[in-house]
Amino acid sequence: MTGAEIVAIISVSIAGLTTLLSTCFHSRCTTIRTPCISCDRELIHEKNPEVAYCCIIKNWKQLNNTTRRPNEEKSQLETAISFLPKRPEAYYHLSTLYNEEKLWKKAYMYACIGLEFINNSSLPYDVYYPGDHMLLFQKALSSWYIGQR
């Protein structure tokens, strides 16, 4: 995929609150109207894949804040990884999710993979990545539980 065709729901009204709700690829819908939700989607043709990557991770963060859809959270991060597999940020977030679920081997695996792609250039937007040193911490934490010392 040369450009990112991302459809972001940019205006969601639920009890007067506005939030980013979902990111979809190649959607044909532009508006959604239900009794409880009103969404307008905007198709963004982005030439810079790093901006699209940031959007996917920011969408994950919104889902993560709700704490209600853990499988969809992982799916968003896996989408980010498939979009730009040589960036460490999504690997870090997956590692922390699996550490929170006490799935230590998966957390260790994603931390190790992420460590292979550290020292990248910075992204155009903040994606809640504390730094490369935290991948090393995630690896150490999960390895303590699985005995990979």
Side-chain angles (χ1 to χ4, degrees):
M1 181 181 288
T2 58
E5 293 182 347
I6 296 180
V7 178
I9 296 176
I10 59 172
S11 172
V12 178
S13 300
I14 301 173
L17 298 175
T18 302
T19 183
L20 179 65
L21 181 65
S22 182
T23 301
C24 305
F25 286 93
H26 307 292
S27 177
R28 294 182 184 168
C29 300
T30 56
T31 58
I32 297 172
R33 302 272 184 246
T34 67
C36 299
I37 191 168
S38 173
C39 303
D40 293 319
R41 297 179 179 193
E42 180 178 318
L43 184 61
I44 303 168
H45 295 282
E46 183 56 52
K47 303 279 189 238
N48 184 355
E50 289 183 343
V51 173
Y53 178 80
C54 290
C55 289
I56 296 167
I57 293 183
K58 285 184 171 288
N59 182 58
W60 159 79
K61 185 60 176 169
Q62 292 298 319
L63 288 170
N64 182 261
N65 288 341
T66 66
T67 67
R68 293 187 208 158
R69 301 178 73 186
N71 292 334
E72 184 63 25
E73 289 178 43
K74 291 174 193 152
S75 177
Q76 288 294 305
L77 291 172
E78 289 165 355
T79 300
I81 287 171
S82 66
F83 196 73
L84 279 180
K86 295 189 184 217
R87 298 287 316 187
E89 297 85 3
Y91 293 108
Y92 165 75
H93 292 305
L94 271 171
S95 179
T96 58
L97 283 177
Y98 284 118
N99 267 334
E100 290 169 5
E101 294 177 4
K102 297 180 176 28
L103 296 170
W104 311 115
K105 288 188 178 190
K106 286 188 176 186
Y108 181 81
M109 177 188 68
Y110 281 112
C112 289
I113 294 170
L115 282 169
E116 293 181 19
F117 305 115
I118 60 174
N119 299 323
N120 273 322
S121 60
S122 62
L123 291 168
Y125 300 103
D126 178 30
V127 291
Y128 320 102
Y129 181 62
D132 294 339
H133 63 284
M134 286 304 290
L135 270 169
L136 191 58
F137 174 78
Q138 287 296 324
K139 180 180 177 182
L141 176 66
S142 55
S143 68
W144 188 83
Y145 284 100
I146 61 172
Q148 296 285 335
R149 299 177 190 159

